[in-house]
Amino acid sequence: MASFFDTTIKFLEKAAPSLDANRELLPILYAPKRTVKVAIPVKMSNGKMRIFEGWRVQYNDALGPFKGGIRFHQETTEDEVKALGLLMALKNAAIGLPYGGAKGGIRVDPKTLDAIELERLSRGYVDILYPLIGPSRDVPAPDVGTNPQIMAWMTDEFSLLSGFAESAAFTGKPQIVGGSAARNAATGYGGFVVLREVLKMTKNAGKIKTVAVQGVGNVGSHIINFLDEAGFKVVAISDSKGGMYDKKGLKVREICSKISGGMLGQCEIGAPNITNESLLALDVDLLVLAAMEGQINESNVKKVRAKMILEMANGGITPLADTYLEKNKVMVMPDILASSGGVVGSYFEWSANWQRSAFSKEDVFTKIDDFMSRTLSEDYEFAKKRNINLRSAAYSLAIMRILEATKVNGSTHA
Ligand code: GLU
């Protein structure tokens, strides 16, 4: 089976014919600029030492400093981090941010560590990568399995090593140490804006009502709330163990309003009455993918009955499945657009940190709205003109920006 990275590269190949210029520079995106593999020794609470494997893939920096999250997951591999690094480079370019793309990962199930072990692991990762990251080099953020507390420890470690406060070194921090009040909900909010704009442009507003959401982590739990507030009927939600389904609509406010440490926590899934596989096959208007990559693939795509898919998970749909959905007129709002609200939120956190100031939550939401609406109408127009789908349009425009910057920078040694 092709790896996640190999399948992600396929999207580049699919977008290539729509590139207007600099196509000869495309190979620059076929491999990361730098891949760092780390082994982090951590003294565990039982006194024994454990070594954790991790990576930072700095994929491309033609447009600005590397930027992208750090994932803590028991199945993370170098291949996965590489694919996510590429998607991050495309995402930042697609939305028009002055950033390159990177991704980090540690192979660990964070739920199996206690708080002290988690802190040591987070600090250890920064100690090893210190010379290669920082506000103008590479700015990490949370991703699957990491959170604001982990970003606070990492920022603190970075500042200790620097000898001065460097809040702009990481984004997604708690508000008290320079984080943005909007960052936690930003990815979910951005996804909601993408949906709202696409419904408007395709004249589907009011026609899409029932929704199933796979994944109730930070991204899923927020989008569920935004959808509920806007009057959509959320009929199914799930986590990795299974989901809840009620065709009359779930009581979202009760299930997803658990507050932990001032932030919205995960939705509380009661006794599951549906599997993840059957959630993806539900006869709903909209399917939201907010879990892991590759969830809709060759083996299950034929069962999908939704009319639209909002791909909040990076790489949620494989290229072959994407082609099948396109043929069957299922409208996909692709990952690099649907999930870009998070990094737009990060960008305003980072800018505020440089200026030693802060933006209000409302301000950041308005800025996310502006970024996403503008990008979407550009992508939609491009897609219409070229008769390609929204993913190919977003990928082509993103690639063209990266290649144009590569050419202008003149640093290809070619
Ligand atoms: N991990 C998030 C993503 O995949 C956010 C990245 C960031 O804010 O740098 O988009």
Side-chain angles (χ1 to χ4, degrees), residues 67-69 88 91 103 139 141-143 171 183 314 339 342-343 346:
K67 177 94 190 83
M88 209 56 229
K91 188 186 299 191
K103 202 76 167 200
V139 189
D143 196 75
T171 58
R183 177 62 184 83
N314 295 308
S339 70
V343 71
S346 277

Side-chain angles (χ1 to χ4, degrees), residues 75-393:
E75 276 156 27
T76 289
T77 58
E78 181 172 325
D79 181 86
E80 180 191 51
V81 183
K82 224 161 75 167
L84 293 169
L86 167 57
L87 286 173
M88 209 56 229
L90 296 173
K91 188 186 299 191
N92 291 332
I95 202 78
L97 293 174
Y99 284 141
K103 202 76 167 200
I106 300 181
R107 201 173 167 82
V108 60
D109 178 355
K111 289 193 235 63
T112 61
L113 302 193
D114 65 33
I116 293 172
E117 293 164 343
L118 205 55
E119 178 172 351
R120 286 182 186 146
L121 178 64
S122 306
R123 289 182 185 276
Y125 184 75
V126 174
D127 290 342
I128 299 172
L129 287 168
Y130 180 73
L132 300 173
I133 57 176
S136 302
R137 289 200 175 101
D138 180 357
V139 189
D143 196 75
V144 174
T146 49
N147 58 25
Q149 175 60 74
I150 292 175
M151 294 306 115
W153 289 326
M154 289 188 168
T155 311
D156 183 63
E157 191 65 18
F158 192 92
S159 296
L160 286 172
L161 292 168
S162 305
F164 51 89
E166 274 284 33
S167 56
F170 291 82
T171 58
K173 304 176 291 293
Q175 220 184 322
I176 187 82
V177 289
S180 153
R183 177 62 184 83
N184 227 30
T187 314
Y189 183 66
F192 176 72
V193 173
V194 167
L195 173 67
R196 189 195 65 205
E197 292 302 304
V198 166
L199 291 180
K200 243 193 264 167
M201 290 185 298
T202 57
K203 306 206 175 11
N204 270 309
K207 292 188 200 144
I208 297 291
K209 292 193 182 95
T210 53
V211 190
V213 182
Q214 187 200 33
V216 291
N218 179 49
V219 175
S221 59
H222 282 102
I223 188 127
I224 288 167
N225 275 281
F226 289 121
L227 289 168
D228 184 59
E229 268 169 34
F232 290 88
K233 184 154 92 177
V234 180
V235 296
I237 61 174
S238 69
D239 63 17
S240 58
K241 290 180 222 76
M244 297 167 82
Y245 170 58
D246 184 345
K247 70 170 189 291
K248 294 200 284 310
L250 295 169
K251 291 200 177 72
V252 165
R253 256 156 251 220
E254 278 169 33
I255 308 166
C256 299
S257 60
K258 202 179 83 179
I259 303 288
S260 62
M263 289 171 300
L264 187 72
Q266 302 219 330
C267 308
E268 201 96 68
I269 304 248
N273 62 2
I274 188 170
T275 61
N276 264 295
E277 268 312 292
S278 14
L279 179 139
L280 297 177
L282 282 176
D283 188 7
V284 285
D285 297 328
L286 172 72
L287 188 58
V288 179
L289 301 178
M292 299 293 280
E293 58 265 16
Q295 290 300 303
I296 297 190
N297 50 50
E298 297 76 288
S299 71
N300 63 3
V301 67
K302 293 198 173 126
K303 296 193 194 127
V304 171
R305 285 186 286 167
K307 297 187 189 79
M308 288 187 144
I309 303 179
L310 185 66
E311 189 189 22
M312 304 288 297
N314 295 308
I317 302 173
T318 63
L320 284 177
D322 195 60
T323 305
Y324 180 88
L325 293 169
E326 188 178 359
K327 270 202 206 110
N328 286 279
K329 308 244 173 320
V330 179
M331 169 103 199
V332 174
M333 290 155 271
D335 51 3
I336 63 168
L337 297 176
S339 70
S340 59
V343 71
V344 177
S346 277
Y347 170 66
F348 287 106
E349 177 178 339
W350 179 75
S351 320
N353 293 155
W354 275 110
Q355 301 166 34
R356 304 281 185 224
S357 69
F359 294 113
S360 72
K361 187 171 176 174
E362 292 67 34
D363 242 9
V364 178
F365 274 17
T366 310
K367 289 173 196 296
I368 292 177
D369 234 298
D370 292 348
F371 260 88
M372 314 291 275
S373 319
R374 195 194 54 227
T375 306
L376 267 165
S377 65
E378 276 168 25
D379 289 344
Y380 190 71
E381 283 310 308
F382 189 80
K384 245 183 21 199
K385 235 194 292 162
R386 306 289 171 110
N387 199 21
I388 53 178
N389 67 10
L390 199 53
R391 185 192 304 278
S392 295

